Amino acid sequence: MAADAASSSPPAAITCRAAVAWGPGQPLVMEEVEVAPPGPMEIRVKVVSTSVCRSDVTAWQSKAQPDLFPRIFGHEASGVVESVGEGVTEFQVGDHVLTVFIGECKSCKHCLSRKSNMCQKLGLERKGVMHSDQKTRFSVKGKPVYHYCAVSSFSEYTVVHSGCAVKVGPTVPMDRVCLLSCGVSAGLGAAWNVADVSEGSSVVIFGLGTVGLSVAQGAKLRGASKIIGVDINPDKQEKGKSFGITDFINPNELSEPVQQVIKRMTDGGADYSFECVGDTGVVSTALQSCSDGWGVTVTLGVPKAKPEVSAHYAFLLSGRALKGSLFGGWRPKSDLPSLVDKYTDKEIQVDGLVTHDIPFSDINRALELMLENKCLRCVIHMSQ
């Protein structure tokens, strides 16, 4: 197990436990991995809690990038800074942080525009390596192990770019605030930043997982009058009520297309519709479910197959808009601290989305629960 970092000497490589995926869909194997020291502008983090996001499961099962194995997944996490690399001034050893899967350099065109969170230097990393030098920081017996989203929190220690971490207060519950590093923030931001839901409006949400319920919460806080939840799991109806869902539809119980039912319920179509399933076919359904003239459809899900979206041009010609949302439009360093404050001030719900607390040694159970649709968020406790 890793020793505490010496305060005077430069950080050295350490060894720790990590749940390694050796192939697509294969059970994670608890391995002793070597974690390199943080490079320039990087920090090494002792992971305290990490939750399993649907995108972790999708990427783990995907055979689209077979060369990116072995790999350590996980990106929704909280931890403590163990050591810092050259040039890092923002963080100190002992700081509590959230990891984020997209960074904010604050100097590129997108960061300076304040119109986008698509940082050109620290954007979504898809090659399984670090942004800075395109290399990995993990190895098992000398064999490189790839990263996921430049975070890889299914490891007791990980290395992230300092632009991909956000400092939080030492009293914030680490095993709950970790959800703000992806799912909850993505949903709230889609409602507030991307769609800009208005008071008295009608909203329909396809998929009532963590992201969809967070969209509902955001719409409720904006004063939406009708919030329709669409899900094939009947158990989501009761859970949805506590997050603002006013009406529930199970498409499997309908004898007609769900968009027709929604149009009747909303006098011609919802003002806003959100696709939170990860299915491009549902994107088209969501677009058909919103109103002519001003209806806005926001897609948040990561598709498991068929990434192309198909829609008749008439839906757009009639004034409907289709928008994409990554991390709810939040700029991590600029915006995430305010969300953490809202959580600590009890202005937003997070704790109710955690359905299971699971020790790190039993992480495969968390993946099984997600595959069986028997959980919202499983929080992995790394010390157990």
Side-chain angles (χ1 to χ4, degrees):
M1 207 55 60
D4 291 338
S7 58
S8 57
S9 57
I14 58 175
T15 57
C16 69
R17 292 186 305 161
V20 178
W22 287 93
Q26 295 181 16
L28 307 186
V29 179
M30 203 63 69
E31 302 277 11
E32 184 175 273
V33 301
E34 183 173 284
V35 186
M41 299 307 296
E42 296 174 352
I43 59 175
R44 190 161 58 192
V45 176
K46 180 180 181 180
V47 179
V48 174
S49 300
T50 183
S51 41
V52 178
C53 176
R54 177 66 66 175
S55 58
D56 290 312
V57 177
T58 299
W60 165 60
Q61 289 186 305
S62 174
K63 298 179 181 180
Q65 294 179 301
D67 295 337
L68 295 188
F69 287 89
R71 198 173 195 183
I72 298 172
F73 289 98
H75 63 282
E76 202 174 74
S78 59
V80 179
V81 176
E82 176 268 345
S83 55
V84 301
E86 179 185 348
V88 175
T89 57
E90 180 184 357
F91 298 101
Q92 296 180 347
V93 173
D95 283 344
H96 289 203
V97 296
L98 290 177
T99 60
V100 285
F101 66 95
I102 55 171
E104 183 182 357
C105 72
K106 296 190 176 184
S107 62
C108 72
K109 176 183 176 181
H110 279 254
C111 287
L112 291 174
S113 76
R114 301 185 67 82
K115 299 176 182 178
S116 163
N117 64 354
M118 304 295 289
C119 179
Q120 292 171 301
K121 295 181 180 179
L122 301 173
L124 188 60
E125 209 295 310
R126 303 175 185 273
K127 300 177 183 177
V129 292
M130 295 295 289
H131 290 97
S132 54
D133 60 4
Q134 301 295 291
K135 296 180 181 179
T136 76
R137 300 290 181 268
F138 297 106
S139 62
V140 174
K141 298 177 182 178
K143 180 180 178 64
V145 178
Y146 291 99
H147 298 242
Y148 177 63
C149 289
V151 176
S152 295
S153 55
F154 293 170
S155 172
E156 291 178 319
Y157 287 82
T158 189
V159 175
V160 300
H161 193 283
S162 59
C164 296
V166 177
K167 194 183 301 185
V168 299
T171 61
V172 178
M174 302 283 269
D175 62 346
R176 295 297 182 260
V177 76
C178 58
L179 271 66
L180 286 177
S181 69
C182 182
V184 175
S185 299
L188 289 171
W192 293 345
N193 303 327
V194 181
D196 194 16
V197 170
S198 58
E199 186 175 359
S201 60
S202 57
V203 173
V204 60
I205 303 163
F206 293 84
L208 298 180
T210 296
V211 175
L213 291 172
S214 297
V215 171
Q217 178 178 191
K220 178 184 178 181
L221 291 171
R222 278 291 182 89
S225 61
K226 183 180 286 291
I227 305 174
I228 304 168
V230 181
D231 203 292
I232 60 174
N233 183 350
D235 296 338
K236 297 292 181 69
Q237 181 172 7
E238 197 61 35
K239 189 71 174 180
K241 290 179 182 178
S242 63
F243 284 86
I245 296 295
T246 60
D247 301 84
F248 180 81
I249 300 173
N250 183 340
N252 288 345
E253 298 176 352
L254 300 178
S255 58
E256 59 183 320
V258 65
Q259 58 266 33
Q260 293 183 14
V261 176
I262 293 167
K263 285 182 177 181
R264 282 201 303 272
M265 295 174 67
T266 56
D267 189 23
D271 298 309
Y272 307 95
S273 62
F274 297 84
E275 183 279 317
C276 306
V277 177
D279 185 324
T280 51
V282 176
V283 175
S284 179
T285 301
L287 189 62
Q288 294 175 57
S289 301
C290 66
S291 175
D292 284 339
W294 60 78
V296 174
T297 296
V298 180
T299 178
L300 297 83
V302 178
K304 305 168 189 64
K306 192 182 176 296
E308 298 83 10
V309 174
S310 177
H312 197 284
Y313 82 98
F315 294 125
L316 302 176
L317 197 65
S318 66
R320 306 180 202 196
L322 174 61
K323 293 186 174 183
S325 176
L326 182 66
F327 197 51
W330 301 112
R331 292 162 295 144
K333 288 188 174 294
S334 298
D335 300 328
L336 209 49
S338 68
L339 275 185
V340 175
D341 289 343
K342 287 183 182 296
Y343 167 62
T344 56
D345 292 340
K346 302 187 185 304
E347 295 177 28
I348 58 174
Q349 287 193 67
V350 174
D351 297 11
L353 292 164
V354 178
T355 53
H356 298 77
D357 288 281
I358 293 177
F360 185 36
S361 58
D362 204 15
I363 191 171
N364 281 304
R365 178 168 169 255
L367 298 178
E368 292 167 3
L369 288 167
M370 183 69 80
L371 288 171
E372 295 167 0
N373 293 316
K374 293 181 178 179
C375 69
L376 289 172
R377 276 295 190 267
C378 294
V379 171
I380 309 299
H381 296 259
M382 305 302 288
S383 61
Q384 299 178 12

